[in-house]
Amino acid sequence: LSGVFGGLQNYLTYSNSVLYAKTGGSGRISSLAIVAITAGLFVVGPSICDYLPRCMAGTLLLHIGIDLVLEGVYDSIGQYDWLEYLGIWIITIVMTVWGMTAALIAGVIAALSTYAVQSINYHNPIRQILTASTLRSSAWNRCARARAILDNDQSGRARILIFELQGHLFFGNVAQLTDTIKIVLREKEQEGDLPIVVIVDFTLVVGMDSSAAHAIAKLKKIMHRLFHVEISIFVTGSDRGGFPCEYALSEALSANEAGGKSARGKEAEEEIDLYDLQMAQSPPGL
């Protein structure tokens, strides 16, 4: 039906879809050609197979099989961690020995097991909390004035607070993450050493669910409006194009920044619930 109406052609089996794509199938003309050939085969029937060399079918199946094995097992080397790659091999072995149905069941079990192990591998989502005084930039050619600003205890590296995150962020540990950040900021505020810049580093974060992403977007509002942090920076890592989640977290953080400059009245305060206000005023002990 997709081909009749000019859509992309697809098959019930993945191997046929791969064969169609690798032979240059694309666009409406290719889809309509497949529809015409399929309709003709329905009329002619399997008797046309008598005129095809038997070796052609075997060669075609061998080519598709080798191509799919290379795509799933060889090309994926280095793209996944060892646990995820082990799941690929388990699915491959089960499919070879017991068939497709057993492989689907093994795939579901492997995916759930991998997610569970990765989620509990790092119980604490915060790897470390430190100031920029312990870190040094790679830019050594700063002028004397810039070095003086950075070395100043009131405006330099000591007023830059860094939260380095790790593992999977999901609904089970994101509350611990946000509560810890609010407790640390409250302690800094009580000591009169509230940071000017807060950096939240997501470089070691493997994945995030939607609950964690929404909590991070809300956390930025809390840092700016309850703790009066002037600048917040969220580092995603240089090896990927954004946060490891489906939710458009980058856009949400940008929208919060734009909204924070314009919304300063009652409407802005309504976005922070009562629990956050109580946590900011009287946080529990660590």
Side-chain angles (χ1 to χ4, degrees):
L1 293 177
S2 175
V4 170
F5 291 101
L8 294 177
Q9 182 64 29
N10 201 355
Y11 294 91
L12 295 178
T13 57
Y14 176 70
S15 59
N16 290 348
S17 300
V18 171
L19 180 62
Y20 170 78
K22 289 187 177 295
T23 53
S26 62
R28 296 184 177 181
I29 298 179
S30 301
S31 299
L32 292 175
I34 291 294
V35 170
I37 295 174
T38 305
L41 291 177
F42 272 112
V43 175
V44 176
S47 59
I48 194 175
C49 294
D50 296 336
Y51 301 95
L52 297 177
R54 294 183 179 181
C55 62
M56 181 179 294
T59 304
L60 186 60
L61 291 176
L62 183 62
H63 169 74
I64 295 176
I66 294 175
D67 188 74
L68 292 178
V69 170
L70 291 177
E71 179 183 349
V73 176
Y74 181 77
D75 294 343
S76 60
I77 296 177
Q79 298 181 6
Y80 307 95
D81 59 28
W82 68 269
L83 189 60
E84 295 170 337
Y85 189 69
L86 178 62
I88 294 176
W89 268 108
I90 291 176
I91 296 172
T92 303
I93 295 173
V94 171
M95 182 181 297
T96 303
V97 178
W98 289 285
M100 185 67 180
T101 303
L104 289 175
I105 299 175
V108 172
I109 296 175
L112 294 177
S113 302
T114 301
Y115 178 77
V117 172
Q118 289 177 340
S119 298
I120 65 176
N121 191 23
Y122 301 105
H123 179 68
N124 190 347
I126 300 180
R127 183 172 183 266
Q128 61 179 344
I129 303 173
L130 66 160
T131 64
S133 300
T134 60
L135 300 176
R136 292 297 175 182
S137 173
S138 59
W140 296 101
N141 56 347
R142 290 193 176 95
C143 62
R145 182 180 179 184
R147 290 195 299 268
I149 294 175
L150 289 176
D151 295 335
N152 192 318
D153 293 337
Q154 301 299 322
S155 61
R157 295 185 178 95
R159 301 294 299 277
I160 301 176
L161 186 61
I162 303 171
F163 294 92
E164 185 176 334
L165 311 184
Q166 64 182 356
H168 276 266
L169 301 182
F170 62 108
F171 63 92
N173 61 6
V174 70
Q176 177 186 2
L177 167 64
T178 55
D179 289 347
T180 302
I181 292 178
K182 287 184 281 189
I183 291 171
V184 172
L185 291 178
R186 174 52 61 190
E187 291 178 349
K188 292 287 186 180
E189 186 179 42
Q190 292 175 350
E191 296 171 358
D193 190 26
L194 192 65
I196 300 175
V197 180
V198 173
I199 300 176
V200 184
D201 189 359
F202 288 81
T203 303
L204 300 180
V205 173
V206 180
M208 301 171 58
D209 64 2
S210 59
S211 300
H214 282 88
I216 295 299
K218 185 179 179 182
L219 177 63
K220 181 177 181 179
K221 301 178 184 178
I222 295 173
M223 289 193 300
H224 285 278
R225 298 174 186 173
L226 290 184
F227 296 100
H228 308 292
V229 174
E230 296 184 15
I231 302 174
S232 61
I233 301 174
F234 295 81
V235 181
T236 62
S238 59
D239 58 341
R240 54 192 177 194
F243 293 94
C245 62
E246 296 295 333
Y247 177 69
L249 183 55
S250 299
E251 290 76 3
L253 293 174
S254 301
N256 290 346
E257 181 178 1
K261 296 179 180 179
S262 60
R264 297 296 182 183
K266 180 178 179 181
E267 181 180 356
E269 296 298 331
E270 288 177 351
E271 295 180 357
I272 303 176
D273 57 27
L274 180 60
Y275 173 75
D276 296 323
L277 184 59
Q278 292 173 347
M279 278 292 299
Q281 295 176 348
S282 57
L286 281 171

